[in-house]
């Protein structure tokens, strides 16, 4: 069965790919708006792990709407949630038997409710899978420490291919660097640089 996994190159989506590859032919899919070439970071990680990789271009209007929401709210949650739901809808339009993401049980954003998952499945005739939905952050971190080589650092400095980087660019273009600082709290991100397979 063919599965498309929304992929950023970070630890959660990488761990999700490793969990799913036993059961599916996994393609790592990086959603982007064409604002930057950050998607290339995810492609590099996908290649190093031996996974197929695809790009999924999203609607630029959704990026602008999400950036406006983030600036209006003064925090990123609702804007990033909007982009993630759009990305899942676009992914579900592709020819996969199943789609997935790396959302964890304790993620604040993005999250997908049971009702949203059911709606996605019913409307697109696809299975939606969140393989980390039963894992909290501590459990994920233990698995990551055992299997992945990861670079960790401030969000604005880490090479990754998630929605945040492009949304930051839009907000900075519209309101200057200070606008980004006003909306995004300091936090760390991860970028996977290697995988230790079970046979390693």
């Amino acid at each position: 069965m063919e599965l498309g996994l929304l992929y950023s190159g970070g630890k959660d989506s990488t761990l999700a790919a490793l969990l799913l590859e036993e059961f599916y032919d996994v393609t790592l899919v990086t959603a982007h708006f064409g604002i930057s070439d950050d998607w290339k970071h995810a492609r590099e990680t996908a290649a190093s792990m031996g996974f197929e990789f695809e790009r999924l271009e999203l609607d630029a209007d959704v990026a602008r709407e999400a950036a406006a929401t983030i600036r209006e709210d003064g925090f990123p949650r609702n804007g990033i949630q909007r982009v993630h739901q759009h990305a899942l809808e676009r992914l579900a339009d592709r020819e996969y038997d199943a789609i997935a993401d790396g959302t964890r049980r304790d993620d604040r954003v993005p999250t997908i409710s049971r009702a949203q998952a059911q709606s996605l499945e019913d409307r697109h005739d696809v299975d939606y899978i969140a393989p980390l939905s039963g894992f909290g952050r501590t459990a994920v971190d233990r698995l990551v420490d055992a299997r992945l080589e990861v670079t960790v650092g401030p969000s604005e400095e880490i090479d990754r291919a998630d929605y945040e980087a492009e949304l930051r660019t839009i907000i900075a273009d519209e309101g200057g660097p200070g606008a980004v600082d006003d909306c995004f709290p300091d936090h760390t991100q991860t970028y996977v640089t290697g995988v230790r397979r079970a046979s390693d």
Side-chain angles (χ1 to χ4, degrees):
M1 290 182 287
E2 301 286 338
L3 179 140
L5 170 67
L6 285 179
Y7 188 67
S8 68
K11 66 179 183 178
D12 293 342
S13 55
T14 300
L15 184 58
L18 295 175
L19 292 172
L20 289 166
E21 72 174 333
E22 180 76 19
F23 304 100
Y24 295 93
D25 293 325
V26 176
T27 299
L28 304 182
V29 182
T30 295
H32 68 102
F33 295 103
I35 293 168
S36 72
D37 62 359
D38 287 341
W39 59 268
K40 292 179 179 178
H41 302 302
R43 181 182 65 185
E44 291 168 9
T45 302
S48 73
M49 295 189 306
F51 283 100
E52 294 293 319
F53 177 83
E54 292 181 4
R55 291 163 53 192
L56 175 65
E57 191 150 344
L58 302 179
D59 185 340
D61 288 340
V62 172
R64 287 189 289 275
E65 291 165 12
T69 297
I70 290 169
R71 290 189 71 190
E72 217 172 276
D73 292 346
F75 56 86
R77 179 182 296 179
N78 295 324
I80 289 176
Q81 182 68 26
R82 168 74 175 97
V83 173
H84 189 71
Q85 288 173 311
H86 172 60
L88 284 172
E89 291 285 344
R90 292 293 304 277
L91 185 61
D93 283 338
R94 293 216 170 167
E95 296 296 318
Y96 292 113
D97 302 301
I99 61 172
D101 61 25
T103 56
R104 296 186 322 256
R105 181 185 69 217
D106 51 3
D107 275 338
R108 291 183 178 180
V109 67
T111 59
I112 300 299
S113 70
R114 288 182 181 185
Q116 289 168 326
Q118 189 66 58
S119 173
L120 192 68
E121 290 181 333
D122 292 346
R123 287 182 292 107
H124 295 278
D125 190 28
V126 67
D127 294 330
Y128 165 73
I129 301 166
L132 302 185
S133 64
F135 291 80
R137 181 178 186 144
T138 302
V140 166
D141 286 346
R142 285 187 182 122
L143 293 173
V144 166
D145 288 346
R147 296 289 299 277
L148 304 179
E149 296 166 9
V150 178
T151 299
V152 180
S155 185
E156 63 277 7
E157 295 176 13
I158 290 294
D159 293 334
R160 71 207 189 283
D162 64 4
Y163 319 128
E164 183 181 322
E166 289 185 302
L167 293 173
R168 281 174 175 262
T169 299
I170 294 171
I171 291 169
D173 287 348
E174 293 175 352
V180 174
D181 295 337
D182 290 343
C183 297
F184 287 89
D186 290 338
H187 62 288
T188 60
Q189 293 278 14
T190 62
Y191 175 62
V192 174
T193 57
V195 176
R196 294 184 293 276
R197 295 288 182 174
S199 58
D200 292 352

